């Protein structure tokens, strides 16, 4: 992936548009608080937070090639839907992202060097590629590269002409 770029819906920002970025992310997505204030008691009662809110990925953008206003509107159109967002510095992960707030665009003379921020609202965690592992006799290990709990879908297909017998599936969770 081209350096200092993002890919949105299969389009690379530098290769297709000449749009270079600096990405700003948070250490973690914001945790959803589950607290209640009790009259006559200091502080709040905390029920424990175990869910996360959406995260904002801010991309500070600079257009480095000449582009007319009409061409720029086509870029805006491509960015106006929800899609997969990948960043140059972590191409093996992606976010499901969408723009909700319009960006203010600073135009420079000769329609060069437009500058603006894109605030993508994303699902809380980055996704990795789907892992498919052929099942072998005995223990089968799958490496989980994520940092958040995720649902697992196991699909077993019998590709032989004989029936499967004595199949056992044991799920092992990652411990903190």
């Amino acid at each position: 992936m081209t350096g200092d770029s993002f890919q949105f819906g299969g389009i690379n920002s530098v290769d297709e548009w000449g749009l270079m970025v600096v990405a700003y992310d948070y250490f973690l997505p914001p945790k959803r608080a589950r607290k209640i204030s009790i009259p006559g008691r200091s502080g709040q009662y905390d029920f424990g937070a175990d869910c996360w809110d959406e995260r904002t990925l801010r991309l500070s953008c600079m257009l480095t090639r000449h582009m007319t206003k009409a061409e720029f509107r086509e870029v805006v159109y491509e960015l106006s839907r929800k899609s997969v967002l990948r960043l140059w510095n972590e191409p093996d992960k992606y976010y499901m992202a969408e723009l909700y707030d319009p960006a203010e665009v600073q135009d420079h003379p000769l329609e060069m060097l437009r500058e603006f921020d894109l605030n993508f609202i994303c699902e809380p965690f980055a996704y990795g590629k789907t892992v498919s592992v052929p099942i072998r006799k005995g223990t089968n290990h799958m490496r989980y590269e994520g940092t958040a709990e995720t649902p697992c879908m196991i699909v077993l297909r019998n590709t032989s002409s004989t029936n499967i017998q004595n199949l056992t599936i044991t799920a092992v969770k990652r411990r903190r």
Side-chain angles (χ1 to χ4, degrees), residues 28-34 48-54 125 176:
L28 286 169
K31 226 174 202 185
R32 191 176 307 146
R34 292 180 45 217
D50 59 357
C51 292
W52 306 86
D53 279 330
E54 295 172 319
F125 296 99
R176 290 192 165 266

Side-chain angles (χ1 to χ4, degrees), residues 54 79-82 96-103 118-122:
E54 295 172 319
L79 295 172
S80 67
R81 58 194 159 82
K82 186 173 188 171
M96 289 307 300
E98 188 169 12
L99 293 170
Y100 282 91
D101 297 322
L118 296 175
N119 293 306
F120 282 100
I121 305 301
C122 306

